[in-house]
Amino acid sequence: GMDYKIIGWFFQAGVEPAIINFESLHLDRSEREAARNLLREKGYWWIDTDQDTFAVKESLVRMNKL
């Protein structure tokens, strides 16, 4: 359940990795929504699986578009 908080700490420190994968299985509904909003604000696209959320910086995807 700490993954979302850790991601927030990274963003607060100015660290924005190109790709993020974090466990979202144990997040409650409000934390899951807050994580999505944070990723959106920081320019990420994401996919939720049963246990994890995989996010990639939108600029990375657009830069490598063929």
Side-chain angles (χ1 to χ4, degrees):
M2 287 294 295
D3 292 39
Y4 164 64
K5 291 178 184 175
I6 292 169
I7 291 168
W9 295 336
F10 270 89
F11 288 152
Q12 288 174 0
V15 177
E16 294 187 17
I19 297 172
I20 302 172
N21 190 68
F22 65 97
E23 184 180 74
S24 53
L25 172 68
H26 300 292
L27 299 180
D28 64 30
R29 178 179 262 188
S30 65
E31 289 175 317
R32 198 176 283 261
E33 185 62 31
R36 290 175 184 149
N37 288 335
L38 181 59
L39 291 170
R40 186 180 303 111
E41 288 171 13
K42 294 295 184 177
Y44 287 85
W45 289 348
W46 70 91
I47 297 171
D48 290 319
T49 66
D50 291 342
Q51 297 183 354
D52 295 332
T53 297
F54 176 80
V56 63
K57 226 19 182 156
E58 180 181 350
S59 59
L60 180 69
V61 174
R62 292 191 184 280
M63 180 175 54
N64 292 308
K65 205 173 184 181
L66 298 176

